[in-house]
C-alpha cells in the first residue's frame, strides 16, 4: 500500500489535472448545442471528482489514526534508510510483475484538449478525400492525411446515447420544458380554471388564482411534481447551475417575508375536529352540534387533564395546520423561483408550441428526426461543398443537386432577404414563407416589441413592421373610442345618449 505522503501527493496531482481539464474544456469554442450540453455534463462530473479528491485530502490531513505522523517521524529519524527500503519494495514489485504496462496519467486527460467540432471537420475532409480517390479525380488524395490517427475527444458514443435518453422529444435536448404531465395534474385540481397547454405555460406559476379550498392533497401532489420536474430539468440541461444556492436564497427571502398572521387557521377552523369551513353559518352550526361536543369530550378524556388539556390539544392542531400551510406556501414560492430562472426557456416553449400547432403531422414527424436544428456553425455549407456534383447542377433545399427544371419550378434562383432576421437570405418563396413561423424570426420580432401574428406574415422590413404595429395600435384605440361614442342608449323619457354620456349621467343619478 502507498504511504500516506504519497497518497497526499497523488491526490494533489489529481486535483490539478482535473482543474486543467476543466480549463481546457471551457476554452473550446463550441457552436453545437449538443456538444455544449455534453461539455457541461463533463465539467460537472470533473467537479464532483475534485470534491471527492479534496474530501480524501482533508481526511488524510486530519490524520485521525496518527499514521501520517508516524510515517513522517520514521522518515525524519531513519535518514536514507527509509528511502532505500521504499525504493527496494518498488523494485521488488516490478520484478514480480515484469509484464505490467504503466499508462501515464496525462494520457487520460489529452482528450479534453481536442475540439470535437474540429475533429468532425477532419473526418468529413478525410471522407471527401477518400470519395475523390475512389472516383479517380485525385489519385494522390489517398496518400495525404491517411496516416492521421483518429483524434480522441471528450465525447464518445456512450455520451451520445445517454444524451438521447436524457430528454423527452418535447424538450429537444434542454431547449424547451415539457410540462404536459403537470398540466394533466393541474386539470384534476378541483375548481381550477380549464386552461389549454399554451395558456397553462403562461399562468402555471399564478398559484393565487387557485381557490384556497382547492389546495388539498392533489394540489400538494401537483406542486411536488412541478418541483421535482424543475430540479431534474436543472440537473439535465443546466448541470453547472448552483440550484442549492438559489433554493437557500429563496428560502431566506421567504422566511423574511413570511408573516405568522398569514398562516393563521382563521375563525372558520375547528381545532378539535380538524375541519375548515367556508361559511360562517356552517361553522356556527358545527360548533353547536352534538358531534363537535362529543369530540371535545373525547379529547379531554384522552388527554386526562380535563378542559385545559383538551384546549392544549386543540392549540396543537392549530399549530400543525399553520405549519402545513407554511410548508405549502414555501413550496409555491420555490416553484415560482424556479419558473423565474427558467423564464426564457418557458417563453421559448410557448413560441415553439404555437409554431408546432401550425405544422402538419408530417412536418412534426420530420422535425422530430432533426437532432440538431439551426446549427450556429457553417456545417451545412461544408457538407454541400463535399458533394459530388461534376455537372455543376443547382442545389435544392437539402443542399443536394437537383435538375435545373425543378430548380426553376420552385423558384430557388430567386433570393428573399429578411431584415428582421439580420439580413438573412432565403432561396425560394417556400423557404421564405416558412421562416416566418420559425423561432428565429419570432424571437427577433419579440426583440422589436411586436407579436409574431399572422398580420405580420410576409413583412421582412423592420421599418414596415414597426409602422404596421403602430397602425394596428391606433386602429385598436379608435375601435374602443368608437364603441363608447356611437353605441346609443335611451332613458325612460326617450332621450338618446351615447354610451359614455349615458353611464356618466346614470352614475350621478341624473337619469
Amino acid at each position: 500500500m502507498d504511504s500516506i505522503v504519497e497518497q497526499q501527493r497523488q491526490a494533489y496531482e489529481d486535483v490539478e489535472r482535473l482543474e486543467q481539464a476543466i480549463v481546457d474544456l471551457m476554452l473550446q469554442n463550441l457552436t453545437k448545442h449538443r456538444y455544449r450540453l455534453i461539455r457541461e455534463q463533463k465539467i460537472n462530473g470533473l467537479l464532483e471528482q475534485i470534491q471527492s479528491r479534496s474530501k480524501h485530502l482533508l481526511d488524510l490531513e486530519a490524520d485521525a489514526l496518527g499514521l501520517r505522523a508516524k510515517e513522517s517521524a520514521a522518515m525524519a529519524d531513519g535518514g536514507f534508510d527509509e528511502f532505500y527500503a521504499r525504493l527496494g519494495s518498488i523494485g521488488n514489485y516490478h520484478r514480480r510483475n515484469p509484464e505490467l504496462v504503466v499508462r501515464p496519467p496525462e494520457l487520460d486527460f489529452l482528450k479534453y484538449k481536442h475540439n470535437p467540432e474540429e475533429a468532425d471537420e477532419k473526418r468529413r475532409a478525410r471522407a471527401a478525400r477518400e470519395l475523390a480517390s475512389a472516383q479517380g479525380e485525385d489519385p494522390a488524395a489517398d496518400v495525404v492525411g491517411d496516416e492521421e490517427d483518429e483524434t480522441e475527444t471528450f465525447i464518445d458514443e456512450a455520451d451520445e446515447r445517454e444524451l438521447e435518453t436524457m430528454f423527452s422529444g418535447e424538450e429537444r435536448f434542454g431547449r424547451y420544458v415539457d410540462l404536459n404531465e403537470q398540466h394533466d395534474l393541474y386539470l384534476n385540481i378541483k375548481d381550477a380554471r380549464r386552461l389549454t397547454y399554451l395558456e397553462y405555460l403562461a399562468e402555471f406559476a399564478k398559484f393565487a388564482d387557485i381557490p384556497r379550498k382547492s389546495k388539498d392533497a392533489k394540489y400538494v401532489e401537483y406542486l411536488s411534481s412541478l418541483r421535482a420536474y424543475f430540479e431534474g430539468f436543472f440537473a439535465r440541461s443546466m448541470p453547472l447551475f448552483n440550484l442549492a444556492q438559489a433554493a437557500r436564497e429563496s428560502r431566506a427571502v421567504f422566511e423574511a417575508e413570511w408573516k405568522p398572521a398569514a398562516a393563521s387557521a382563521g375563525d372558520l377552523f375547528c381545532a378539535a375536529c380538524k375541519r375548515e369551513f367556508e361559511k360562517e353559518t356552517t361553522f356556527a352550526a358545527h360548533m353547536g352540534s352534538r358531534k363537535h361536543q362529543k369530540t371535545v369530550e373525547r379529547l379531554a378524556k384522552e388527554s386526562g387533564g380535563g378542559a385545559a388539556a383538551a384546549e392544549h390539544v386543540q392549540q396543537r392542531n392549530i399549530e400543525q395546520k399553520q405549519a402545513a400551510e407554511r410548508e405549502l406556501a414555501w413550496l409555491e414560492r420555490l416553484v415560482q423561483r424556479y419558473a423565474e430562472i427558467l423564464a426564457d426557456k418557458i417563453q421559448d416553449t410557448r413560441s415553439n408550441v404555437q409554431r408546432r400547432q401550425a405544422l402538419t403531422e408530417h412536418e412534426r414527424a420530420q422535425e422530430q428526426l432533426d437532432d440538431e436544428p439551426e446549427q450556429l456553425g457553417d456545417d451545412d455549407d461544408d457538407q454541400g461543398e463535399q458533394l459530388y456534383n461534376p455537372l455543376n447542377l443547382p442545389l435544392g433545399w437539402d443542399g443536394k443537386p437537383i435538375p435545373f427544371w425543378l430548380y426553376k419550378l420552385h423558384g430557388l434562383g430567386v433570393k428573399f432577404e429578411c431584415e428582421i432576421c439580420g439580413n438573412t437570405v432565403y432561396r425560394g418563396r417556400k423557404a421564405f414563407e416558412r421562416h416566418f413561423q420559425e423561432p428565429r424570426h419570432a424571437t427577433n420580432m419579440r426583440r422589436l416589441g411586436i407579436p409574431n401574428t399572422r398580420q405580420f406574415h410576409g413583412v421582412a422590413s423592420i421599418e414596415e413592421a414597426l409602422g404596421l404595429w403602430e397602425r394596428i395600435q391606433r386602429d385598436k384605440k379608435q375601435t374602443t373610442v368608437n364603441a363608447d361614442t356611437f353605441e346609443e342608449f335611451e332613458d325612460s323619457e326617450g332621450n338618446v345618449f351615447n354610451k359614455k354620456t349615458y353611464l356618466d349621467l346614470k352614475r350621478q343619478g341624473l337619469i
Side-chain angles (χ1 to χ4, degrees):
M1 186 181 79
D2 291 337
S3 66
I4 304 299
V5 176
E6 174 60 21
Q7 292 183 37
Q8 285 182 296
R9 187 207 63 78
Q10 183 65 45
Y12 279 116
E13 181 182 357
D14 291 343
V15 169
E16 290 181 0
R17 291 189 185 278
L18 291 169
E19 290 176 348
Q20 184 59 45
I22 293 176
V23 173
D24 294 336
L25 286 175
M26 294 298 293
L27 290 177
Q28 294 184 15
N29 184 21
L30 302 179
T31 59
K32 293 185 178 181
H33 175 76
R34 292 165 62 94
Y35 288 171
R36 292 199 300 267
L37 187 57
I38 294 177
R39 176 177 64 181
E40 290 186 6
Q41 298 285 352
K42 291 289 185 181
I43 292 176
N44 186 50
L46 293 174
L47 289 173
E48 291 178 355
Q49 293 184 47
I50 290 177
Q51 290 179 345
S52 176
R53 299 292 196 284
S54 300
K55 184 178 182 302
H56 180 57
L57 269 172
L58 289 175
D59 294 338
L60 293 177
E61 291 288 348
D63 196 20
L65 301 178
L67 298 178
R68 180 172 175 272
K70 293 180 180 179
E71 185 176 325
S72 300
M75 287 189 293
D77 297 340
F80 284 97
D81 295 339
E82 183 69 19
F83 169 76
Y84 286 116
R86 293 177 183 273
L87 181 62
S89 64
I90 294 174
N92 293 333
Y93 174 79
H94 285 282
R95 277 193 296 271
R96 291 194 302 269
N97 302 277
E99 299 180 356
L100 182 66
V101 178
V102 179
R103 178 180 173 84
E106 56 268 17
L107 296 181
D108 296 330
F109 292 89
L110 286 178
K111 59 184 180 181
Y112 298 111
K113 297 179 178 293
H114 300 146
N115 191 315
E117 294 181 357
E118 295 177 357
D120 291 344
E121 292 179 2
K122 291 180 181 178
R123 282 193 291 268
R124 287 197 295 268
R126 187 179 301 113
R129 289 196 301 269
E130 293 175 356
L131 180 61
S133 175
Q135 294 171 348
E137 292 186 354
D138 188 3
D142 58 342
V143 179
V144 181
D146 283 350
E147 293 81 6
E148 297 179 3
D149 294 332
E150 187 73 16
T151 303
E152 183 183 7
T153 65
F154 66 90
I155 297 177
D156 53 23
E157 294 183 1
D159 296 325
E160 294 281 356
R161 288 195 299 268
E162 183 180 0
L163 189 65
E164 292 288 342
T165 59
M166 190 178 295
F167 298 95
S168 66
E170 292 288 336
E171 291 173 331
R172 298 299 296 274
F173 301 104
R175 290 185 179 89
Y176 313 117
V177 297
D178 182 8
L179 297 178
N180 283 285
E181 181 180 348
Q182 286 70 30
H183 179 231
D184 293 338
L185 291 175
Y186 169 81
L187 294 177
N188 290 329
I189 297 176
K190 183 181 178 182
D191 297 333
R193 293 174 55 199
R194 304 295 97 181
L195 302 176
T196 64
Y197 183 59
L198 189 61
E199 296 171 337
Y200 173 77
L201 288 173
E203 302 185 13
F204 74 91
K206 298 179 180 179
F207 301 118
D209 295 343
I210 299 178
R212 188 169 181 267
K213 62 181 181 179
S214 300
K215 297 184 177 182
D216 51 8
K218 286 187 177 181
Y219 180 73
V220 175
E221 178 187 358
Y222 163 69
L223 282 181
S224 301
S225 178
L226 277 175
R227 176 183 182 178
Y229 174 79
F230 282 135
E231 291 178 350
F233 186 80
F234 276 115
R236 289 179 287 120
S237 65
M238 303 167 61
L240 299 182
F241 181 77
N242 195 341
L243 186 61
Q245 181 179 356
R248 286 195 300 270
E249 294 175 354
S250 181
R251 183 75 183 195
V253 174
F254 173 79
E255 295 292 344
E257 296 178 351
W258 176 262
K259 298 179 181 179
S264 175
D267 297 331
L268 304 183
F269 176 69
C270 177
C273 302
K274 298 183 181 180
R275 290 184 58 188
E276 189 170 3
F277 298 87
E278 300 179 13
K279 299 180 180 179
E280 292 186 7
T281 55
T282 309
F283 176 70
H286 168 77
M287 295 299 290
S289 65
R290 186 170 180 79
K291 181 179 179 181
H292 172 73
Q293 300 300 331
K294 286 185 176 181
T295 304
V296 174
E297 293 174 1
R298 179 175 54 81
L299 290 176
K301 291 180 180 180
E302 291 178 354
S303 58
E311 187 70 23
H312 175 73
V313 173
Q314 295 181 43
Q315 182 62 31
R316 186 180 59 192
N317 292 340
I318 293 177
E319 293 175 356
Q320 291 176 354
K321 187 175 188 300
Q322 291 176 351
E325 290 184 349
R326 181 191 186 95
E327 192 62 27
L328 184 64
W330 157 240
L331 196 55
E332 291 177 344
R333 183 66 189 91
L334 183 62
V335 173
Q336 288 175 340
R337 178 55 182 158
Y338 290 162
E340 291 171 3
I341 298 172
L342 296 174
D344 292 339
K345 289 185 180 293
I346 293 173
Q347 180 60 37
D348 292 342
T349 304
R350 294 190 70 241
S351 302
N352 182 57
V353 171
Q354 284 181 313
R355 180 184 61 83
R356 286 173 60 84
Q357 287 176 350
L359 300 179
T360 63
E361 188 66 29
H362 175 71
E363 289 172 332
R364 292 194 190 98
Q366 188 66 28
E367 190 179 66
Q368 287 291 342
L369 298 177
D370 186 9
D371 291 337
E372 193 67 29
E374 294 196 30
Q375 291 297 334
L376 300 178
D378 297 328
D379 299 336
D380 295 340
D381 296 338
D382 295 341
Q383 293 176 3
E385 295 175 359
Q386 298 162 10
L387 291 172
Y388 179 60
N389 189 15
L391 299 179
N392 197 24
L393 295 173
L395 303 180
W397 294 293
D398 56 357
K400 297 181 180 179
I402 60 174
F404 188 74
W405 65 268
L406 186 61
Y407 177 83
K408 295 288 289 182
L409 176 65
H410 291 292
L412 297 180
V414 182
K415 296 181 179 180
F416 298 87
E417 183 175 338
C418 180
E419 183 183 3
I420 296 175
C421 295
N423 296 323
T424 304
V425 177
Y426 297 91
R427 293 184 302 155
R429 168 64 65 177
K430 183 178 179 180
F432 180 68
E433 294 287 344
R434 184 175 55 193
H435 102 279
F436 287 105
Q437 299 177 354
E438 295 178 351
R440 179 179 183 179
H441 186 83
T443 301
N444 292 328
M445 290 287 285
R446 287 200 306 272
R447 290 171 180 168
L448 295 175
I450 303 173
N452 189 29
T453 59
R454 292 290 299 177
Q455 296 168 306
F456 296 90
H457 190 88
V459 179
S461 170
I462 295 178
E463 183 178 357
E464 292 179 2
L466 292 174
L468 178 58
W469 176 240
E470 292 177 359
R471 187 161 64 251
I472 291 174
Q473 294 291 90
R474 286 198 305 268
D475 294 344
K476 186 181 297 184
K477 291 180 181 179
Q478 186 65 29
T479 302
T480 304
V481 172
N482 291 342
D484 291 339
T485 305
F486 293 102
E487 191 173 357
E488 295 182 343
F489 287 78
E490 183 177 352
D491 63 2
S492 58
E493 298 179 358
N495 299 316
V496 179
F497 307 94
N498 60 44
K499 180 181 179 180
K500 186 175 184 302
T501 304
Y502 177 81
L503 293 177
D504 289 342
L505 292 176
K506 189 174 182 179
R507 277 195 295 266
Q508 296 173 17
L510 300 179
I511 57 175

